[in-house]
Amino acid sequence: MPTILVTGSSRGIGAAIADALAAAGATVIGHGTRTGIPADFDEPGAPRALWDEAARQGPIDVLINNAGVFEANPLDAADWTAAWERTLRINLTASAELCRLAVLDWQGRGAPGRIVNIASRAAYRGDSPAHWHYAASKAGMVAMTKTIARAYARANILAFAICPGFTMTGMADDYLESRGGDKLLADIPLGRVAMPEEVAAAAKFLALDAPPSMTGAVLDVNGASYVR
């Protein structure tokens, strides 16, 4: 079974992914503020430090980029640009740095590898007027995933993305409450938000079982609130 690095694994979707992979027999290396290897992606050098520390625990076979922030940034905010850059740094740039390190490592060892990036339906549907930066970061993550898939498939380096809709984590709870709850749920044909375990099931499949010909695929987990 592979050794898998999961970012943002201390809670929510990341914790569910780590649990599902461990239950399947994989060796999971976690990252987060509560458990696992600590690394603040808002700080330069943190992704590299995380990768190096994780690699010391054993060659990494699969990278799952899940860590991210969802913070409001109203258009009239005095620090709008700083908030934009913080979200892009944490959600996209840190993931890109880890993907780069993973690909370089696998190329250097002549080893296969898999990347699973946790994006969002916002990558395709957009988000609220206060979340331009979040939607842009997730759209960038999807584009990056497809680029990696096309560039390195012949070396058996595969890349996938998952685009959840609202998911029942602490972050989603706050958003549901702020947006009126029932009105938001009315936009989801399934009638409820996704559970972290549902996103984890998709991540486990892509990390362990998805056939190589699926590389570049983006899986939606959003209760049919956005179909494409």
Side-chain angles (χ1 to χ4, degrees):
M1 293 297 287
T3 296
I4 304 176
L5 172 60
V6 182
T7 70
S9 63
S10 61
R11 61 182 180 179
I13 291 172
I17 291 172
D19 289 346
L21 292 169
T27 298
V28 178
I29 301 174
H31 149 262
T33 57
R34 300 180 183 180
T35 60
I37 303 170
D40 183 353
F41 286 167
D42 197 25
E43 298 179 358
R48 179 81 202 210
L50 170 63
W51 180 267
D52 289 346
E53 177 60 29
R56 279 192 282 269
Q57 299 184 29
I60 297 168
D61 304 299
V62 180
L63 167 66
I64 300 182
N65 280 309
N66 166 74
V69 293
F70 181 80
E71 300 168 343
N73 189 26
L75 293 183
D76 58 357
D79 58 350
W80 190 87
T81 300
W84 172 282
E85 291 176 346
R86 168 178 159 80
T87 288
L88 269 290
R89 168 73 219 169
I90 294 172
N91 289 7
L92 180 58
T93 305
S95 295
E97 290 182 273
L98 287 168
C99 286
R100 171 179 173 269
L101 292 169
V103 170
L104 288 171
D105 177 55
W106 297 330
Q107 286 180 322
R109 293 192 284 120
R114 292 187 178 219
I115 293 169
V116 181
N117 288 322
I118 309 301
S120 168
R121 75 171 188 178
Y124 293 99
R125 174 174 157 150
D127 211 286
S128 81
H131 292 91
W132 290 16
H133 54 341
Y134 180 79
S137 71
K138 296 303 185 177
M141 182 175 273
V142 169
M144 177 177 69
T145 302
K146 293 180 178 182
T147 301
I148 293 169
R150 289 176 55 81
Y152 307 106
R154 287 187 182 273
N156 204 20
I157 296 173
L158 314 178
F160 312 92
I162 300 173
C163 285
F166 295 109
T167 306
M168 192 53 67
T169 67
M171 185 167 61
D173 287 341
D174 293 341
Y175 191 77
L176 283 169
E177 183 177 353
S178 71
R179 295 291 288 272
D182 291 343
K183 181 178 179 181
L184 187 147
L185 290 175
D187 189 43
I188 304 175
L190 187 61
R192 63 170 177 83
V193 299
M195 300 303 294
E197 293 75 17
E198 294 179 294
V199 182
K204 183 181 80 168
F205 169 70
L206 294 176
L208 301 179
D209 299 317
S213 288
M214 277 189 66
T215 190
V218 181
L219 301 187
D220 297 319
V221 186
N222 63 45
S225 60
Y226 185 77
V227 293
R228 55 188 172 85

